[in-house]
Amino acid sequence: MKYFAVFLPMKDEEKSRENRPAHLEFLARKREEKKAVMFGRFVDGTGGLVIYQGESLEQVESWVKEDPYVITGARHYEIHEWEIAAMDIHK
């Protein structure tokens, strides 16, 4: 499995507010399916980030296109394959 960082930059704040519950339900389902590893918003209000686990960029993009934020035009998206580099932060 590969990891993919999906940036969801703000496109329309009102649509984002309206579709937040549906977006969070979507992410909860993806997490239950072991497809979304982690997610969260940027505290400066510019959007959010989702880390997906999948076989290919095309597969992950198909999931992202099902996100209510993307469907309704509330957010743009940008996908990058992400290589995790573990480090010990306690050193």
Side-chain angles (χ1 to χ4, degrees):
M1 285 288 183
K2 300 175 182 178
Y3 291 94
F4 296 86
V6 178
F7 294 89
L8 295 167
M10 186 68 66
K11 186 175 176 183
D12 185 312
E13 287 185 43
E14 185 176 329
K15 285 182 182 179
S16 288
R17 272 191 303 277
E18 292 170 1
N19 291 285
R20 182 172 170 78
H23 166 72
L24 293 175
E25 288 174 20
F26 168 79
L27 290 177
R29 283 193 311 274
K30 292 301 179 205
R31 188 170 204 164
E32 287 173 10
E33 297 168 359
K34 307 284 192 235
K35 295 175 181 174
V37 178
M38 62 181 75
F39 48 85
R41 68 180 188 91
F42 298 132
V43 296
D44 64 2
T46 59
L49 172 71
V50 182
I51 304 297
Y52 285 99
Q53 184 174 326
E55 295 293 330
S56 67
L57 184 135
E58 294 79 17
Q59 181 185 54
V60 170
E61 186 171 30
S62 73
W63 301 336
V64 172
K65 288 180 176 180
E66 297 171 354
D67 187 327
Y69 273 172
V70 174
I71 291 170
T72 62
R75 304 285 178 96
H76 296 287
Y77 69 88
E78 184 178 322
I79 305 173
H80 298 273
E81 187 173 342
W82 185 46
E83 184 177 309
I84 296 175
M87 57 186 239
D88 187 350
I89 61 171
H90 300 288
K91 285 188 176 184

